[in-house]
């Protein structure tokens, strides 16, 4: 269960975090836009990474359902908050100075906000699970993992467009938009106050499921 959630999370899409390396191309206006966005977005990417790490930490076979529930709930809330903040960061940065920049910006903001809502809904579903019934809890986590997979595989077209072309090249040069390293130690279920950032805006987080896995049938 939580293992499936963690797998779905790692397969998600959080934009820039997948970027690495440098670009030799130079366009001051585009570079300035990327710097403005990435500097603001970095803390949110970090939050998503930390949330993902917290979920991963609850994939042990001896994890208790109640602990898994608390961790996944806190992580989903963290990721939801991070996506909302990323949408605000794209909005604040303004339209990127490229062709159809305004449209790309608007669609990216829309997708980021939609992702925020999706993760908030996942949190509600995790909270509603019965941690006292291990089999039912495991099944519930499996269903959430499936939904998470759908969230991570759809709705990121605009984000991918944002990180492509000249904008993507400019982002590659910004530390704030490069892959983040999870905090150590990973946030606990009760202390995951800030979203983590190992995925890129198109990335998703998935609850860990082994903690509550039921016997295989």
């Amino acid at each position: 269960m939580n293992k499936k959630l963690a797998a779905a999370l790692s397969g998600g899409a959080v934009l820039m975090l997948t970027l690495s390396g440098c670009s030799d191309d130079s366009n001051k206006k585009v570079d300035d836009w990327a710097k403005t966005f990435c500097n603001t977005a970095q803390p949110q990417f970090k939050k998503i990474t930390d949330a993902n790490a917290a979920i991963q930490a609850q994939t042990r076979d001896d994890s208790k359902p109640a602990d898994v529930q608390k961790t996944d709930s806190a992580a989903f809330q963290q990721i939801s908050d991070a996506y909302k903040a990323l949408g605000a960061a794209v909005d604040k940065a303004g339209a990127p100075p490229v062709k159809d920049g305004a449209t790309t910006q608007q669609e990216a903001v829309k997708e980021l906000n939609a992702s925020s809502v999706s993760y908030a809904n996942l949190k509600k579903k995790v909270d509603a699970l019965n941690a006292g019934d291990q089999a039912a809890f495991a099944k519930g986590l499996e269903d959430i993992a499936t939904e998470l997979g759908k969230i991570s595989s759809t709705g990121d077209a605009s984000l991918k467009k944002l990180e492509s072309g000249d904008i993507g090249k400019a982002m590659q040069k910004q530390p704030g938009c490069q892959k983040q390293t999870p905090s150590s130690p990973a946030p606990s279920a009760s202390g995951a106050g800030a979203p983590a950032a190992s995925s890129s805006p198109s990335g998703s987080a998935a609850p860990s499921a082994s903690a509550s896995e039921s016997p295989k049938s």
Side-chain angles (χ1 to χ4, degrees):
M1 271 98 307
N2 237 22
K3 289 179 180 177
K4 291 183 179 180
L5 276 177
L9 258 183
S10 62
V14 177
L15 275 202
M16 332 309 150
L17 298 191
T18 58
L19 299 178
S20 62
C22 299
S23 169
D24 294 330
D25 295 341
S26 179
N27 180 320
K28 191 175 187 308
K29 289 184 178 180
V30 174
D31 287 345
D32 287 346
W33 186 93
K35 183 176 182 179
T36 296
F37 170 74
C38 293
N39 285 349
T40 302
Q42 183 176 23
Q44 307 312 321
F45 288 138
K46 188 65 172 62
K47 291 175 181 179
I48 293 171
T49 297
D50 288 346
N52 290 351
I55 287 175
Q56 291 283 351
Q58 285 292 355
T59 59
R60 301 185 309 275
D61 291 335
D62 62 347
S63 293
K64 297 179 180 178
D67 292 337
V68 172
Q69 184 175 43
K70 289 180 181 179
T71 296
D72 292 352
S73 176
F76 280 146
Q77 182 63 62
Q78 206 167 299
I79 293 169
S80 174
D81 292 344
Y83 271 110
K84 184 174 182 179
L86 285 171
V90 173
D91 188 45
K92 184 177 180 180
V98 295
K99 182 180 180 181
D100 298 326
T103 298
T104 298
Q105 176 202 24
Q106 292 169 7
E107 293 180 347
V109 170
K110 182 179 180 180
E111 288 181 2
L112 287 165
N113 287 335
S115 292
S116 175
V117 172
S118 294
Y119 281 104
N121 288 334
L122 288 181
K123 176 191 183 301
K124 292 178 181 178
K125 292 186 177 182
V126 167
D127 290 342
L129 296 179
N130 180 6
D133 184 332
Q134 186 166 328
F137 184 71
K139 178 60 169 63
L141 278 185
E142 187 170 357
D143 291 342
I144 291 174
T146 297
E147 185 172 345
L148 180 58
K150 293 178 180 178
I151 292 174
S152 67
S153 64
T154 61
D156 63 348
S158 294
L159 293 176
K160 288 182 178 179
K161 183 176 181 180
L162 184 63
E163 62 180 342
S164 66
D166 291 341
I167 302 176
K169 292 177 181 178
M171 288 178 173
Q172 288 176 17
K173 296 184 287 186
Q174 299 299 323
C177 277
Q178 292 176 11
K179 189 173 181 63
Q180 303 294 303
T181 300
S183 296
S184 182
S188 63
S190 61
S198 71
S199 12
S200 44
S202 37
S204 68
S208 41
S210 69
S212 54
E213 286 192 37
S214 59
K216 293 182 174 62
S217 56

